[in-house]
């Protein structure tokens, strides 16, 4: 059962998501490095510019997809998917390919972009699920705290608490001491 829980956990999805973003960063780095070769001839400057551009692109991918509901742009997922496919097509030099190599390049590009799209969707859904579970647990704890006996026992509703109080020795002693205080 532990293996099933681990496979279905937010932690695993987060690790896979971070690995995907890392891969996306390398992919974007290569694309920027090649594209900037004409304009930035100094090797060190081109590496730095490519690396930071790749980090920004990968961060953009992750953040914009996770928060797509807050954006005014519709169908953000499809735009990101399309950009991801095209980026991979450039990296694989699909426009210089033909035949089987062309088909393989297109397949790999679409497959890799689809993996990213699905991973981000799963990540977002798992995060929302874990957040909802945490909120539900907090609300339950709050409810149980409302219906707590002086002995420490907690109940889901007032009826259960009252039923418990009828038989609780600690509650009876507490009630007697409170009544004595009130009489003085």
């Amino acid at each position: 059962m532990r293996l099933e829980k681990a496979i279905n956990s937010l932690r695993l999805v987060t690790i896979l998501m971070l690995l995907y973003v890392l891969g996306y960063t390398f992919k974007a780095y290569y694309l920027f490095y090649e594209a900037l070769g004409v304009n930035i001839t100094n090797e060190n400057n081109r590496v730095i510019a490519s690396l930071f551009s790749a980090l920004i692109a990968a961060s953009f991918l992750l953040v914009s997809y996770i928060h797509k509901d807050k954006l005014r742009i519709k169908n953000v997922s499809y735009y990101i998917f399309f950009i991801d496919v095209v980026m991979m097509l450039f990296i694989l030099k699909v426009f210089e390919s033909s035949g089987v190599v062309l088909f393989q390049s297109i397949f790999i590009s679409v497959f890799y972009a689809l993996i990213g799209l699905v991973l981000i969707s799963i990540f977002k859904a798992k995060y929302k699920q874990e957040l909802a579970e945490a909120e539900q647990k907090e609300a339950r704890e709050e409810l149980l705290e409302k219906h707590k006996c002086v002995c420490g026992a907690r109940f889901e509703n007032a009826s259960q608490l009252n039923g418990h109080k009828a038989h609780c020795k600690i509650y009876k002693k507490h009630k007697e001491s409170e009544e004595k205080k009130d009489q003085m």
Side-chain angles (χ1 to χ4, degrees):
M1 193 62 155
R2 286 190 333 193
L3 178 62
E4 290 82 2
K5 283 184 179 181
I7 289 172
N8 198 32
S9 71
L10 177 61
R11 178 169 293 185
L12 176 65
V13 175
T14 302
I15 290 168
L16 292 173
M17 188 64 232
L18 292 173
L19 288 172
Y20 175 78
V21 169
L22 182 64
Y24 190 91
T25 302
F26 284 122
K27 182 172 72 170
Y29 169 80
Y30 177 80
L31 182 68
F32 286 120
Y33 185 82
E34 291 289 313
L36 295 174
V38 176
N39 297 325
I40 302 176
T41 55
N42 181 304
E43 184 73 20
N44 292 333
N45 291 345
R46 185 166 39 156
V47 167
I48 291 169
S50 300
L51 181 61
F52 280 105
S53 297
L55 288 170
I56 290 168
S59 300
F60 164 77
L61 168 81
L62 183 61
V63 171
S64 63
Y65 190 79
I66 288 172
H67 299 289
K68 70 181 182 177
D69 301 336
K70 297 172 185 144
L71 298 173
R72 291 193 174 123
I73 304 168
K74 293 186 181 203
N75 301 320
V76 172
S77 313
Y78 299 114
Y79 293 130
I80 292 171
F81 177 80
F82 177 74
I83 290 168
D84 201 7
V85 169
V86 171
M87 185 184 300
M88 196 68 176
L89 291 174
F90 278 123
I91 290 169
L92 295 175
K93 300 184 184 207
V94 74
F95 304 108
E96 299 170 10
S97 305
S98 62
V100 174
V101 175
L102 175 66
F103 177 75
Q104 286 175 336
S105 299
I106 292 171
F107 176 79
I108 289 169
S109 299
V110 171
F111 183 64
Y112 188 82
L114 185 61
I115 288 171
L117 187 67
V118 171
L119 263 177
I120 293 171
S121 297
I122 292 171
F123 174 79
K124 188 173 179 181
K126 285 299 289 180
Y127 182 75
K128 282 183 176 179
Q129 177 187 356
E130 297 249 341
L131 198 60
E133 287 173 3
E135 288 173 356
Q136 185 179 20
K137 185 177 179 182
E138 187 177 303
R140 179 168 164 67
E141 287 296 319
E142 202 173 285
L143 181 65
L144 289 173
E145 200 60 36
K146 268 186 185 176
H147 305 293
K148 184 176 179 181
C149 180
V150 292
C151 71
R154 299 181 322 172
F155 301 93
E156 291 184 13
N157 57 48
S159 297
Q160 290 176 341
L161 175 61
N162 291 335
H164 168 79
K165 285 179 180 179
H167 305 292
C168 181
K169 292 176 183 177
I170 296 172
Y171 174 74
K172 288 178 182 177
K173 286 181 185 178
H174 176 74
K175 187 177 177 184
E176 288 171 6
S177 68
E178 289 293 316
E179 288 173 353
K180 285 180 183 177
K181 284 182 188 176
D182 289 341
Q183 290 174 359
M184 292 182 166

